[in-house]
Amino acid sequence: MNHKPPSQKKNPNITPDAHQGKAASVSLSRQLQATAAVVQAVRAGRSLTTELAKVSPDLRPGVQALTFQVMRQLGRAMALRERLASKAPPPAADALLCTALALGWQGEDAPYPVHTLVNQAVDAARQQRQTQAQSGFINACLRRFLREREALVADTDSDPQARWNHPRWWVARVQEEYPEDWEKLLDMAQEPAPMSLRVDTRHHSVVDYQAQLLAMGLAAKPVGATGLQLERAVPVNQLPGFGLGHVSVQDAAAQVAAPLLLQGREAEKAWRILDACAAPGGKTGHLLACYPNAQVMALDVDAARCQRIEDNLQRLGTQAQARALVRAADAAQPAQWWDGVAFDAILLDAPCTASGIVRRHPDVRWLRRPGDSAQLAQTQAQLLKALWPLLAPGGRLLYCTCSVFRSEGEDTVQAFLQRNTDARMLPSPGHLIPGKIPTGLPVEHNALGEHDGFYYALLEKDRD
């Protein structure tokens, strides 16, 4: 039986050959210890991004590469561990055991020979206090795995969590909401996300910038109106003009927002725009590029994340900084920050489960719980209710989330429309599903390539 997982491509967003170079001088057992610690933290509900930032610099490249692979194969690893030991060991030992199983269950795609992984995982268990007492148990489980791997893997094939490497409830929800596309959607979630760029066409045309990249040996294809998708990821400091704001890293689906907001209206007008929940500022910068005379207020409830917006604006230059006001405030509490002057347009990129960006953040699937989507839908409804009165008659509000769950997209918007008779839906893309060519975009050429999962609804307020 072929046990090949949906995808095992190398992640283009990870430093190429992350296990080589500087990381090669670090023992594999140390890398496995650090990787298991990150995995344990994610299983306890902490963000992978936050935990990786805590890893020492000499370990981080290798640990990031290993951890991303573990996150994408954790469902299979947990199923295998359940067959090797029905009772879970303490969290640290369980995380190390699952790390080894996730990395080694599909031998030809393992980052190291499977026997090496097993030996080094056992060494890692013996070398640290948290797992020393369970080192014999880990050794026994992994030696049995080596002997019975084919049979053990075959026994897990019928488990949806093992087969698709997503929680069972997640698989069931996607099956229910996308009966024709659910397999494709889950397959795509295993694919490492491409690196996509947005070219500021005030500096270069897309074609010119594409030529600059090609001259550096970087192939790219056009996506959307002003985007390029790189054949392979590179550090941003290698991108021509990045520090000058000539190009920004932004997924092709996220690039839909700014041009869609005021599609068909005069771009040169001095629009007053609110970018709610704006961090890290990618869409803020795009709004300023699309509407050169607009004044944009960028809000985020987290002051630290507001600094990221400021950093982005600084990179884009003084003109962008002059036309943007960044505020740390809760968008759902306008009385605390609104000056009473209505906005012509509002972009609401609402908090969500991030179920559409699992390719970039493979820990998301293991952080979320079945009830999270419904709770976040309540937050989304509260934000819509709070911000709608701030919109001028005839103004537009673009609601978006990076989620594929309908409770955070279509269901939320339809409920809002039923409660607000002065709102009407304009032509909108709706749910953008990875792997499917989208419709209802603000441009009719150049599909979005391998884009993230998003939802877009463009609402307009009656003028009466």
Side-chain angles (χ1 to χ4, degrees), residues 250-261 286 398 429 432 440-442 448 456:
Q250 188 175 38
D251 181 74
Q255 294 182 36
V256 169
L260 179 60
L261 179 61
H286 200 185
L398 179 60
L432 300 181
L441 297 174
L448 300 183
Y456 283 106

Side-chain angles (χ1 to χ4, degrees), residues 6 75 157-179 181-187 189-190 355 365-366 368 370 404-405:
D157 279 341
S158 59
D159 183 345
Q161 182 165 286
R163 169 64 182 88
W164 299 104
N165 283 292
H166 284 71
R168 296 177 185 92
W169 67 266
W170 189 306
V171 175
R173 183 170 298 178
V174 173
Q175 285 178 318
E176 179 183 356
E177 296 187 2
Y178 299 95
D181 300 306
W182 69 273
E183 289 182 312
K184 181 187 295 183
L185 200 154
L186 292 171
D187 276 346
Q190 291 295 89
S355 57
R365 70 192 88 181
W366 308 116
R368 298 302 179 208
V404 297
F405 296 145

Side-chain angles (χ1 to χ4, degrees), residues 382-403:
Q382 291 169 358
L383 284 165
L384 281 167
K385 181 179 179 180
L387 295 177
W388 188 250
L390 280 57
L391 192 63
R396 290 181 177 178
L397 185 150
L398 179 60
Y399 171 83
C400 61
T401 65
C402 55
S403 175

Side-chain angles (χ1 to χ4, degrees), residues 4-212:
K4 183 83 171 169
S7 173
Q8 283 291 302
K9 292 181 182 178
K10 300 300 181 186
N11 190 342
N13 297 310
I14 295 176
T15 305
D17 301 319
H19 305 294
Q20 299 178 10
K22 186 175 181 179
S25 64
V26 179
S27 70
L28 178 55
S29 62
R30 281 189 63 205
Q31 291 187 61
L32 291 173
Q33 286 174 350
T35 298
V38 174
V39 171
Q40 181 182 350
V42 170
R43 296 177 78 180
R46 297 194 286 277
S47 162
L48 175 59
T49 301
T50 301
E51 294 304 311
L52 284 173
K54 299 176 184 177
V55 177
S56 62
D58 63 324
L59 285 169
R60 193 176 301 144
V63 170
Q64 178 170 317
L66 292 173
T67 307
F68 268 63
Q69 187 164 345
V70 172
M71 289 294 108
R72 291 195 171 100
Q73 302 300 329
L74 188 56
R76 180 73 70 167
M78 290 190 293
L80 288 168
R81 200 275 299 152
E82 289 172 0
R83 283 151 180 81
L84 291 165
S86 57
K87 183 179 179 181
D94 196 26
L96 181 56
L97 179 54
C98 285
T99 292
L101 292 169
L103 295 173
W105 80 269
Q106 186 70 20
E108 61 268 32
D109 291 307
Y112 299 92
V114 178
H115 279 85
T116 299
L117 280 168
V118 168
N119 291 336
Q120 291 294 299
V122 174
D123 284 348
R126 291 169 177 160
Q127 292 166 6
Q128 59 179 357
R129 179 179 53 80
Q130 300 96 318
T131 53
Q132 279 178 346
Q134 290 81 38
S135 60
F137 164 81
I138 291 172
N139 182 49
C141 287
L142 291 178
R143 300 300 169 187
R144 180 187 166 199
F145 167 71
L146 287 177
R147 295 192 304 271
E148 305 175 22
R149 181 171 56 170
E150 191 70 19
L152 287 165
V153 169
D155 192 39
T156 62
D157 279 341
S158 59
D159 183 345
Q161 182 165 286
R163 169 64 182 88
W164 299 104
N165 283 292
H166 284 71
R168 296 177 185 92
W169 67 266
W170 189 306
V171 175
R173 183 170 298 178
V174 173
Q175 285 178 318
E176 179 183 356
E177 296 187 2
Y178 299 95
E180 296 180 358
D181 300 306
W182 69 273
E183 289 182 312
K184 181 187 295 183
L185 200 154
L186 292 171
D187 276 346
M188 288 295 293
Q190 291 295 89
E191 295 277 355
M195 185 174 185
S196 296
L197 310 177
R198 174 176 54 79
V199 179
D200 189 333
T201 53
R202 295 171 297 180
H203 300 287
H204 304 282
S205 70
V206 174
V207 172
D208 287 344
Y209 195 82
Q210 185 180 20
Q212 287 189 44

